[in-house]
Amino acid sequence: MMAFGLIALIAGTASALMFASIISGALISLVLFYLAPLPLMVAAIGWGPLCASLGGIAAAIGLGALFGLPYCIAFAVTVALPAWWLGHLVLLSRQVGRVAPDAPAAEPPADIELEWYPVGRILLWIAGFATLTTIAALLTLGTDADTITGTLRRGLMRLIRAADPQTSGEADQFVDALVRIAPAAATIVAMMTLTLNLWLSAKVTATSGRLRRPWPDLMTAELPPMTLVALCVALAFCFTGGLLAIVAQITTAALMMGYAVTGFAVLHTLTLALKSRAFWLGSTYAVVVVFGWPVIAMVILGLADAVFGFRERFLRSRQPPPLPTP
């Protein structure tokens, strides 16, 4: 029990230090800030969600005592809560097998199988947390659309003038464009960092032998069917205006990034028959990382698979034909 509490305290302390490093203003602190959920996620997956919850509570209280209540709330909402819940979902399972009727009661059932929580639903939860954290961050700037956009605009103008005091009128147009895309861009960053943190934490626990579930087949990851309906509704509300439109844009960006991840899963599946598969996958990842905007193609591929079922058709075509009956 003492070792369990010590691990929780170490994980919470590491996450709190990485989260608070953003105060220094150093460039490396930005990387540490985005990786702040990683220690708590490792604790949640390797030692259970209770370990992550204890570490997260201790870290939030410590940050609140040192820096004030806003830091405590921000850490709890953006770091501790996603780490605890996503770690819980990774370990969530249910029995799908049945016990043989003639098996002795003293022996454990041999044919009981475990169905683990689907990767696609975990991805949907990540999109939900990315949406929640982005909305919470924007609400700290104001409670209506005009106040939020005005605060963002003044902050960006201050940064640009600090870098170049002799800014021209073109800077105003550039700032206006940044203000429009800032909520969606922040959501995309939150979505990517949460996904990366969860993957890294699972890899760390798998390498250390503490991962209590088999490594999932990521090529089969798919979002629930109703996600497409939610995306269409969010897209429709993007044209309403006001705070509702900002929330809809954030939700749309998160769901589209979810479909981008499934698009990569589709790409991994459709390239199984290629001899130069590693080259094409590596080139695709490199182009997306360097330029960014080609991720739109992955979003389209993920959406197309959700509608037309490309992976299912491809895998069905690769199966050998049934043997003829005698």
Side-chain angles (χ1 to χ4, degrees), residues 3 40 56 78 84 140 150 169 191 221 223 241 269 282 300 304 309-311:
L40 287 177
T78 63
W84 164 72
T140 62
M191 181 82 180
L223 295 173
T269 303
I300 296 173
F310 289 151
R311 276 180 291 184

Side-chain angles (χ1 to χ4, degrees), residues 9-57:
L9 184 60
I10 292 173
T13 303
S15 287
L17 290 175
M18 294 166 74
F19 181 83
S21 66
I22 196 68
I23 301 175
S24 67
L27 185 59
I28 188 63
S29 67
L30 189 62
V31 179
L32 295 175
F33 175 79
Y34 283 123
L35 291 177
L38 183 60
L40 287 177
M41 284 186 179
V42 172
I45 298 175
W47 286 268
L50 179 60
C51 184
S53 62
L54 293 177
I57 292 172

Side-chain angles (χ1 to χ4, degrees), residues 106-310:
E107 296 182 2
D111 58 346
I112 286 184
E113 296 180 359
L114 292 178
E115 180 184 9
W116 298 93
Y117 198 76
V119 176
R121 293 186 180 273
I122 295 178
L123 190 60
L124 190 59
W125 276 103
I126 293 176
F129 279 120
T131 302
L132 174 64
T133 55
T134 307
I135 293 174
L138 289 180
L139 288 178
T140 62
L141 306 178
T143 55
D144 59 273
D146 293 335
T147 305
I148 291 173
T149 54
T151 306
L152 283 174
R153 193 178 190 283
R154 287 191 296 271
L156 290 172
M157 285 298 299
R158 196 178 301 115
L159 289 175
I160 291 177
R161 285 171 182 167
D164 185 12
Q166 298 178 348
T167 55
S168 60
E170 295 180 356
D172 293 337
Q173 299 178 358
F174 177 69
V175 169
D176 289 339
L178 285 180
V179 168
R180 293 190 188 96
I181 67 173
T187 310
I188 292 172
V189 172
M191 181 82 180
M192 291 171 57
T193 53
L194 271 178
T195 305
L196 178 62
N197 277 305
L198 187 60
W199 183 83
L200 285 175
S201 59
K203 276 294 183 182
V204 169
T205 51
T207 304
S208 62
R210 299 213 45 107
L211 185 62
R212 288 174 283 173
R213 63 168 291 173
W215 189 262
D217 185 4
L218 300 179
M219 290 192 298
T220 62
E222 58 180 359
L223 295 173
M226 288 302 294
T227 307
L228 193 58
V229 178
L231 177 60
C232 294
V233 173
L235 277 172
F237 279 109
C238 288
F239 301 96
T240 56
L243 185 60
L244 180 61
I246 295 178
V247 173
Q249 291 167 11
I250 292 171
T251 306
T252 301
L255 294 179
M256 282 191 171
M257 281 304 298
Y259 278 110
V261 175
T262 59
F264 280 108
V266 175
L267 185 66
H268 276 262
T269 303
L270 299 182
T271 55
L272 285 173
L274 296 179
K275 294 182 179 179
S276 55
R277 180 171 181 260
F279 169 77
W280 289 111
L281 290 177
S283 300
T284 303
Y285 279 104
V287 169
V288 170
V289 170
V290 172
F291 297 102
W293 63 264
V295 75
I296 298 174
M298 294 297 102
V299 175
I300 296 173
L301 185 58
L303 289 170
D305 179 71
V307 176
F308 302 106
F310 289 151

